[in-house]
Amino acid sequence: MRNIDNRKYVIALIFIMIPLIFVVRLFYMQVVDDKWKERAAQISENKVITYPARGIVYDRNGQKLISNEVYYDIRVIPKQMDEDVDSVSLAKLLDISLEEYTKKMNKARDYSYRKSSEVVRQIPPDEFADIGPEMYKYPGFFEVERTLRIYPKPIAAHVLGYMSEVDSSDIKRDAYYKSGDMIGKSGIEKSYEQVLRGEKGVKYYLQDAIGIETDRYEDGAYDTIAQQGKSVTLTIDADLQEYGEELMRNKRGSIVVLEPSSGEVLTMISSPTYDPNLLVGRRLGQNYGELAQDTLLPLLNRSANSTYPPGSTFKTLMALIAMQEGVITEEASFPCTKSLVGCHNHPTARGVSDGVKMSCNPYFYYVTRKIIQQGKNKSHFADAAIGLDIWAEYLHSFGLGEDMKTDFPAMRYGFIPNTDFYDNEFPSKSNPYGKFGWAYSTIYSNSIGQGEVLVSPLEMANIACVMANRGHFYYPHFVKEIEDGDVPSVYTTKRKTKVEPKYFDPVVDGMWRVVHEPGGTARRARVDSLDICGKTGTAENFKMYNGKRHQLIDHSIFIAFAPKDDPKIAVSVYIENSGFGGTWAAPIASLLIEQYLTGEIKDTIKENRILEADLMPIRYQKKK
Amino acid sequence: MRGGNDKIWADVDWVLVGMYFLVVVLGVSNVYSSVYNPEKPGLFNLETEHGKQIMWIGIALFIGVIIMIVDGSLIRKLSFWAYGVLVLLLVLVLFTEPINGAKSWFGIGSFGIQPSEVAKVGVCLALSAHLAENPPPKTPLTPRISISYLMALVTQNWKTVTILAIPSLLVLLQPDAGTFIIFTSFILVLYREGYAGNVLLFLLVAVIIAVITLIVADSSFMLPLLKIKMGGKFGIVLALLFIGLAFYLLIRNFVLKRNRGGLYRALVGSIIVSILFVNFVEWGYGTFLDDHQKERIELLLGKMEDPDGKGYNVNRAKAAIGSGGFAGKGYQKATLANASQKHVPMQSTDFIFCTWSEERGFLGSAFLVIFYCVLLIKIVSVAERQRSRYTRIFAYCVAGIFFYHVMINVGMGIGLAPVIGIPLPLFSYGGSSVLTFSLLLFILIKLDSERKIVLQ
Ligand SMILES: [Zn+2]
């Protein structure tokens, strides 16, 4: 019997072992493993994201450029739906086809019975006015407010940019974004995305077994309120922008207007343009497609993403560099040797001011040759290489071909060729000129702004600023004020060119005479008492058709600033394929300057001529 | 032999009494939290489950006082009568209207009673009375693999078998698989009383083989080296043969020659039985179990996952328990196993452990499991201090039933036991179960209080 009495220990052992196993298991489930806590949250909590209104964008005078409007998304929780929901009338109410409705409902059920899915998104307020009162008939369906952009004035589309749904790379890059969120895709919306987007809010609800929210989780202790995005005040002058866009109607090209004393962008126009309200919400997809197919490329931001040859405007810089290098003086005179490079008929240029005024091509051929071929090396070729790099360095100090850190996405900057370029890359990488394979005679076209040099419209406006400031500039920028933030110091730092202010006087004098004196190339730009200084240019351009190079009508270029003393505005105007710079670009620039400085246009004949001009090349005219 | 009324309470084990009150108070507070309805705030409101629970505890205490007053010998004398009456109730209940597909309830207004719960008391009493008078033979049968051995086992023990078989079959007819499984807890009692010494070991091995069989049954594997695809069942058979070979080698090398013969026979016999058993499990699994029982087993074994469908109950139970964390979410702060969210089904009865564990965390859940463990050990120690065989056997019956209930109820919540709807003793809401467990404990306390005067 002793043997059998021992069995009590076996039983006691079982009674202890099993609870012990349970305790270990409980410790693992409750303390060690987080899996069940996550599962519990998934089951019992409903995280509702509240979307912040995006920051408002103002112009420099406090006019709203971008504002918000409330739109409505319709969502559904399948589990809460009536079983005999009238799909036909619901689809009709929501203005979608029955097939689409069925598709959405299947997708919603596949995703989750208890969590909500989107049925229709971004219903404009006027349409929702009809839907809202009917919603009570459809349990499980509810509306969520979301704000979308509205543009009070249909201007500055390229500057402001547009918004669209995030793509997978956005989500990967920044955990803030979830599928279906909106993000700034271009322009200011993109460059100030972080400022404008605000902070999403989260509300945690407890939901019961059929997915109905019952209580706030922990009485809302973990909830956050959506924070509206910060507002941004731009340097843009909405009135000037609007006027410029009016002037540019039926013309292709770009305008950039800067304030010389600050580098602030007052206006940036790319024409043709479009109404930014077209690319909002549900309209975005279709309208974007239509704009993208337009042969006039309205979506292309010519001001920011195109570069052109600078044409004759470049001559002003050649004169400045040559004087600073000491290879010419203010009084230098060169003959108009048309055999070197073509020219128009004009009196001999006696001095830099004359040269700029008459825009004599041979004059600047000689000036630039003096910069490039300074005789620093006995070899003509080696000498050109030294000279070209000196020349390029000066041009970089004017901001040309440099990253000027402008607060604009995908900003394209120009190109200044240097020795390395001609040694290794031009005319082609496989067959370049090679070291000592070129001299000034090879590359002289650059002296008159043709050849390989390229500039952007923004850089050209900046050159006008440099002239206005007699030798310094600020990096062009769009931001004037950020709510609760600072404008980066990179925009308030004064940048000096390598040319001393004293050398600017004859060049600026020449630019004044371009507009004001008989024989000047831009007399159409003259406005009494405004002392506009400018320089015309025409840029040859080619387009490849069927492998052949076709010369197109020249681009008309004009850079200007005003008034001559104490300048307030600097402008660059490019009118594509419109011919000589003085004909179209100069009067457009002068109208902008006059409007900005005086608030009115006195010469309505000049204004009407521009407003009525249709300079769209026939070839590109949109098919009706 | 008996003292006066003043002596009734003299030898009462107050620790056991204290444990009883502790667990019912915690139980009521927990039921209160799990079904709390702001529109019916009163603790004693009889429209609420906690109100009813308190009422049932009151009834149980009333009966408990009667039990304490009557003479223990009366209980012993009435054992078979109680058994008979309860078996009769088990028969009668089969003629009621089924509720949720089972004929388990006698309804009285909004109150119901499950005879299969209360029948446990009768079976305990009858089994104790029978075994107390019929100790196992001094020289037990030598276990042999033969029909005659099996026959002898049955003929020697037919009364015991009958006492257990009648209520078992009757609850199966309801059907109430949970109670049927609880009746197998009497194996522990039989074991303690000297029957079938190796039964527990056999059962353990059988359970392990059965579980492995079910896990690998419909999978297949590639035989190493030889590229032959094999069914899971053949894998087990192969493994058993390898184990047999290993034991054969062990016996050949380490056992004296004269002892080898019997061991070889035992080895061959057990391997053959095991292989037959594997096939039986597979066949029985496919034949006897209906689909939802199979699903529960497959969910438990992790062969099937369906957290929002068939595995809903266990998934929600685990989430509730697991999300309790170390210290819990706080009383009445459960977010899954609570009255308004209702993520966990049957959270006041079968899954009551979820509310407790979610609100009290690991500290609470471990406390409760250890509490039951201490209670079981306490009952064992009470059993072992008896000179009365009757009281000792009854104590083991009580321990076995409590143990099974705790093991299965807690086990299913934490995914270590299949889902079988049985209550957590004195903790789950339910009049019949509160009454049953209270009676079991009160009778034990009464019998134990007479331990100094009842010598046989
Ligand atoms: Zn000339």
Side-chain angles (χ1 to χ4, degrees):
Chain A
M1 284 307 276
R2 259 208 73 222
N3 220 357
I4 282 177
D5 274 346
N6 282 339
R7 291 185 176 184
K8 68 187 176 197
Y9 296 116
V10 175
I11 291 172
L13 192 71
I14 294 171
F15 285 177
I16 292 169
M17 284 309 294
I18 301 268
L20 200 66
I21 291 169
F22 283 8
V23 169
V24 170
R25 169 79 175 163
L26 282 164
F27 185 76
Y28 181 75
M29 275 177 73
Q30 296 187 290
V31 182
V32 179
D33 190 4
D34 283 336
K35 175 183 157 191
W36 293 108
K37 291 171 192 64
E38 285 159 20
R39 179 69 183 140
Q42 198 187 348
I43 292 165
S44 69
E45 290 166 21
N46 197 0
K47 192 170 147 186
V48 177
I49 303 282
T50 48
Y51 289 90
R54 213 168 152 83
I56 306 295
V57 178
Y58 297 97
D59 92 330
R60 63 189 294 114
N61 299 315
Q63 284 194 52
K64 275 184 189 171
L65 288 171
I66 316 178
S67 186
N68 296 315
E69 195 175 19
V70 176
Y71 281 63
Y72 299 86
D73 291 354
I74 304 290
R75 302 182 70 83
V76 65
I77 296 173
K79 200 150 193 171
Q80 298 174 8
M81 277 171 61
D82 270 354
E83 277 185 22
D84 52 350
V85 61
D86 184 353
S87 321
V88 178
S89 56
L90 179 57
K92 201 173 161 190
L93 179 68
L94 298 177
D95 197 24
I96 53 176
S97 68
L98 196 57
E99 294 91 73
E100 196 185 341
Y101 170 83
T102 314
K103 214 171 100 189
K104 295 262 183 179
M105 294 313 297
N106 289 339
K107 207 177 152 191
R109 287 195 195 93
D110 283 350
Y111 166 66
S112 169
Y113 258 75
R114 345 158 100 254
K115 295 199 171 149
S116 69
S117 300
E118 189 178 274
V119 185
V120 183
R121 72 178 336 195
Q122 297 168 350
I123 298 173
D126 52 325
E127 285 179 37
F128 186 74
D130 298 332
I131 298 172
E134 300 287 307
M135 289 294 287
Y136 76 93
K137 292 180 187 167
Y138 306 99
F141 291 84
F142 61 99
E143 75 272 10
V144 175
E145 288 185 7
R146 278 184 90 164
T147 58
L148 287 182
R149 291 310 221 182
I150 181 168
Y151 304 86
K153 282 184 168 184
I155 58 165
H158 294 107
V159 174
L160 303 175
Y162 69 98
M163 302 191 58
S164 79
E165 255 182 60
V166 290
D167 54 36
S168 55
S169 66
D170 296 323
I171 296 171
K172 209 171 165 187
R173 180 172 44 81
D174 189 338
Y176 177 89
Y177 300 105
K178 299 279 173 284
S179 179
D181 285 0
M182 302 296 283
I183 189 172
K185 282 282 174 188
S186 71
I188 293 303
E189 292 280 26
K190 183 173 183 178
S191 45
Y192 288 97
E193 168 69 19
Q194 304 260 354
V195 178
L196 294 169
R197 72 184 183 190
E199 282 301 321
K200 287 180 198 165
V202 185
K203 282 182 185 161
Y204 293 96
Y205 290 96
L206 290 177
Q207 60 180 11
D208 67 10
I210 51 171
I212 295 171
E213 285 150 10
T214 52
D215 280 310
R216 299 296 283 278
Y217 178 71
E218 298 276 313
D219 292 327
Y222 296 98
D223 292 3
T224 54
I225 297 167
Q227 303 279 333
Q228 179 169 10
K230 305 288 183 209
S231 64
V232 172
T233 302
L234 297 184
T235 58
I236 294 289
D237 183 315
D239 296 333
L240 190 67
Q241 176 86 23
E242 190 176 18
Y243 183 61
E245 289 186 13
E246 223 173 296
L247 295 176
M248 286 299 280
R249 203 179 306 132
N250 293 325
K251 298 155 195 82
R252 265 193 341 165
S254 67
I255 294 177
V256 177
V257 183
L258 299 177
E259 184 178 70
S261 61
S262 61
E264 290 174 1
V265 180
L266 298 171
T267 291
M268 186 162 93
I269 297 165
S270 172
S271 183
T273 182
Y274 58 94
D275 179 350
N277 290 301
L278 288 176
L279 299 187
V280 175
R282 289 191 292 176
R283 299 176 296 243
L284 170 69
Q286 195 194 340
N287 288 335
Y288 189 91
E290 281 176 16
L291 289 170
Q293 281 172 14
D294 192 331
T295 56
L296 292 164
L297 307 179
L299 290 175
L300 173 65
N301 186 351
R302 293 170 161 82
S303 306
N305 305 125
S306 297
T307 53
Y308 304 88
S312 299
T313 59
F314 209 52
K315 293 170 182 168
T316 55
L317 301 177
M318 301 302 101
L320 290 169
I321 297 168
M323 285 187 284
Q324 179 69 43
E325 274 294 286
V327 295
I328 64 163
T329 63
E330 193 181 320
E331 291 84 21
S333 177
F334 296 102
C336 181
T337 320
K338 292 193 178 64
S339 58
L340 286 171
V341 48
C343 200
H344 55 104
N345 290 320
H346 60 85
T348 304
R350 304 189 184 282
V352 166
S353 175
D354 268 7
V356 169
K357 178 197 155 190
M358 295 162 188
S359 196
C360 175
N361 288 338
Y363 184 93
F364 288 96
Y365 174 95
Y366 289 117
V367 168
T368 309
R369 191 173 73 180
K370 285 197 170 280
I371 303 168
I372 306 291
Q373 309 278 190
Q374 291 192 28
K376 293 189 174 180
N377 192 299
K378 272 180 271 175
S379 156
H380 194 59
F381 298 104
D383 189 40
I386 295 167
L388 185 71
D389 283 343
I390 291 169
W391 174 85
E393 206 179 310
Y394 272 102
L395 291 172
H396 284 303
S397 81
F398 284 81
L400 296 176
E402 288 280 297
D403 180 359
M404 294 199 283
K405 312 262 188 267
T406 298
D407 46 353
F408 205 78
M411 184 61 100
R412 197 165 151 195
Y413 296 98
F415 175 70
I416 302 298
N418 59 8
T419 297
D420 181 59
F421 176 73
Y422 289 112
D423 282 356
N424 301 313
E425 285 175 45
F426 194 79
S428 70
K429 275 197 175 175
S430 55
N431 188 22
Y433 292 147
K435 207 170 160 108
F436 308 134
W438 53 274
Y440 179 65
S441 53
T442 329
I443 61 164
Y444 70 89
S445 308
N446 289 307
S447 66
I448 54 168
Q450 300 291 342
E452 287 68 59
V453 64
L454 288 172
V455 295
S456 72
L458 184 81
E459 286 172 328
M460 289 302 280
N462 191 50
I463 294 301
C465 281
V466 173
M467 298 300 172
N469 294 335
R470 315 315 199 250
H472 71 262
F473 64 101
Y474 299 87
Y475 282 166
H477 56 277
F478 288 87
V479 62
K480 192 158 179 70
E481 251 174 67
I482 298 173
E483 188 184 350
D484 301 331
D486 295 316
V487 173
S489 62
V490 68
Y491 301 135
T492 54
T493 309
K494 191 171 171 177
R495 320 268 161 186
K496 283 191 171 163
T497 63
K498 294 183 72 176
V499 178
E500 289 167 53
K502 63 178 178 185
Y503 297 116
F504 280 83
D505 290 338
V507 175
V508 168
D509 188 55
M511 288 174 74
W512 186 87
R513 292 166 66 204
V514 163
V515 177
H516 293 87
E517 282 190 357
T521 52
R523 305 213 53 219
R524 286 178 198 272
R526 181 190 158 103
V527 180
D528 287 338
S529 80
L530 288 187
D531 276 339
I532 296 173
C533 305
K535 180 73 196 82
T536 54
T538 48
E540 293 182 350
N541 64 99
F542 305 90
K543 201 165 180 90
M544 301 300 284
Y545 281 112
N546 302 326
K548 283 184 190 165
R549 210 163 92 126
H550 292 264
Q551 181 143 18
L552 301 181
I553 305 168
D554 294 342
H555 296 326
S556 170
I557 313 171
F558 191 63
I559 63 169
F561 67 88
K564 184 181 175 192
D565 302 309
D566 189 21
K568 296 276 188 260
I569 180 171
V571 188
S572 82
V573 179
Y574 267 80
I575 310 294
E576 288 182 11
N577 313 109
S578 67
F580 174 59
T583 319
W584 297 110
I588 290 174
S590 85
L591 287 167
L592 277 169
I593 291 169
E594 186 181 3
Q595 180 69 36
Y596 182 71
L597 293 179
T598 69
E600 58 175 352
I601 301 295
K602 288 209 179 82
D603 187 350
T604 49
I605 297 168
K606 176 156 86 179
E607 187 183 32
N608 285 333
R609 173 179 170 263
I610 297 299
L611 289 174
E612 283 158 19
D614 185 347
L615 303 177
M616 287 294 186
I618 310 289
R619 186 181 297 135
Y620 293 112
Q621 214 115 52
K622 199 174 172 182
K623 280 177 195 163
K624 294 229 168 120
Chain B
M1 295 283 281
R2 271 194 61 195
N5 258 4
D6 57 320
K7 287 241 172 145
I8 289 175
W9 308 98
D11 288 319
V12 165
D13 191 319
W14 292 107
V15 174
L16 215 46
V17 175
M19 291 181 90
Y20 172 79
F21 280 104
L22 178 63
V23 71
V24 294
V25 167
L26 290 179
V28 168
S29 80
N30 196 45
V31 169
Y32 181 79
S33 176
S34 79
V35 301
Y36 178 74
N37 181 343
E39 288 164 20
K40 296 174 184 170
L43 180 62
F44 299 100
N45 188 334
L46 285 185
E47 285 174 34
T48 64
E49 293 192 347
H50 44 88
K52 287 181 188 175
Q53 183 84 336
I54 290 170
M55 182 199 78
W56 284 112
I57 292 166
I59 292 171
L61 287 174
F62 178 72
I63 298 173
V65 170
I66 293 174
I67 289 170
M68 292 311 289
I69 291 168
V70 301
D71 199 302
S73 61
L74 186 65
I75 297 170
R76 290 194 291 278
K77 280 176 199 154
L78 288 176
S79 293
F80 285 109
W81 284 102
Y83 177 80
V85 168
L86 289 165
V87 166
L88 189 64
L89 288 177
L90 286 179
V91 173
L92 289 176
V93 83
L94 295 176
F95 296 98
T96 60
E97 282 298 307
I99 296 169
N100 295 330
K103 292 174 249 184
S104 313
W105 291 84
F106 287 122
I108 309 154
S110 71
F111 302 96
I113 193 120
Q114 279 176 290
S116 61
E117 286 290 334
V118 193
K120 288 167 192 167
V121 181
V123 178
C124 289
L125 291 171
L127 190 65
S128 306
H130 170 69
L131 289 178
E133 298 305 318
N134 300 285
K138 290 268 189 280
T139 49
L141 294 167
T142 337
R144 269 182 291 134
I145 302 164
S146 69
I147 303 292
S148 60
Y149 169 72
L150 290 172
M151 289 300 289
L153 264 186
V154 172
T155 50
Q156 274 190 11
N157 302 298
W158 70 272
K159 280 183 186 165
T160 313
V161 172
T162 308
I163 288 171
L164 294 176
I166 291 172
S168 300
L169 290 173
L170 286 171
V171 297
L172 272 184
L173 288 173
Q174 293 186 1
D176 180 356
T179 303
F180 174 78
I181 287 167
I182 296 304
F183 284 155
T184 64
S185 69
F186 295 117
I187 288 170
L188 284 172
V189 179
L190 296 176
Y191 172 73
R192 172 60 188 92
E193 289 310 308
Y195 295 95
N198 293 323
V199 161
L200 285 186
L201 194 63
F202 276 131
L203 279 179
L204 185 68
V205 174
V207 166
I208 291 172
I209 292 178
V211 167
I212 293 173
T213 305
L214 293 178
I215 288 175
V216 300
D218 45 79
S219 54
S220 57
F221 68 102
M222 294 299 286
L223 196 66
L225 303 176
L226 306 166
K227 289 189 173 170
I228 302 169
K229 198 173 183 185
M230 303 201 64
K233 191 178 79 184
F234 292 101
I236 304 174
V237 171
L238 212 62
L240 286 169
L241 291 176
F242 269 108
I243 291 169
L245 186 67
F247 273 101
Y248 165 75
L249 293 172
L250 281 173
I251 293 167
R252 204 183 66 177
N253 293 316
F254 297 103
V255 177
L256 291 173
K257 201 163 193 176
R258 60 192 151 95
N259 292 339
R260 283 182 200 165
L263 285 170
Y264 283 146
R265 275 196 296 279
L267 181 63
V268 171
S270 49
I271 295 295
I272 289 170
V273 167
S274 298
I275 291 172
L276 289 175
F277 182 66
V278 166
N279 283 284
F280 172 76
V281 166
E282 202 185 38
W283 173 75
Y285 180 76
T287 312
F288 292 126
L289 296 184
D290 65 31
D291 284 344
H292 82 272
Q293 286 167 325
K294 283 186 206 165
E295 276 160 10
R296 286 177 182 184
I297 289 171
E298 287 182 7
L299 286 164
L300 179 69
L301 297 178
K303 290 177 75 175
M304 183 166 93
E305 278 190 27
D306 188 5
D308 292 323
K310 288 158 187 152
Y312 180 90
N313 293 3
V314 175
N315 184 270
R316 296 303 186 275
K318 284 180 177 174
I321 294 169
S323 68
F326 182 71
K329 296 177 184 172
Y331 186 57
Q332 291 198 312
K333 291 204 172 140
T335 54
L336 276 86
N338 78 357
S340 58
Q341 261 74 255
K342 294 191 177 70
H343 289 288
V344 178
M346 296 166 284
Q347 58 203 9
S348 64
T349 56
D350 297 349
F351 285 102
I352 191 71
F353 188 66
C354 299
T355 305
W356 176 263
S357 303
E358 191 181 354
E359 292 184 346
R360 315 286 180 154
F362 174 70
L363 288 178
S365 61
F367 167 80
L368 194 60
V369 168
I370 291 167
F371 172 84
Y372 281 115
C373 176
V374 170
L375 180 66
L376 290 171
I377 298 301
K378 174 71 190 167
I379 295 173
V380 168
S381 78
V382 166
E384 292 296 336
R385 72 187 177 197
Q386 305 300 326
R387 279 171 287 182
S388 157
R389 276 177 55 80
Y390 180 94
T391 307
R392 186 180 70 205
I393 295 167
F394 185 79
Y396 270 106
C397 286
V398 174
I401 289 173
F402 267 77
F403 173 66
Y404 261 49
H405 273 268
V406 173
M407 183 172 71
I408 293 173
N409 184 286
V410 174
M412 72 181 179
I414 58 180
L416 293 180
V419 176
I420 296 164
I422 57 165
L424 192 56
L426 300 172
F427 212 74
S428 290
Y429 164 71
S432 307
S433 88
V434 164
L435 215 52
T436 304
F437 288 112
S438 300
L439 284 179
L440 288 173
L441 271 188
F442 293 154
I443 292 171
L444 176 62
I445 290 166
K446 174 64 193 175
L447 294 172
D448 174 59
S449 73
E450 294 181 352
R451 64 185 176 275
K452 290 177 183 167
I453 42 178
V454 179
L455 299 175
Q456 191 43 257

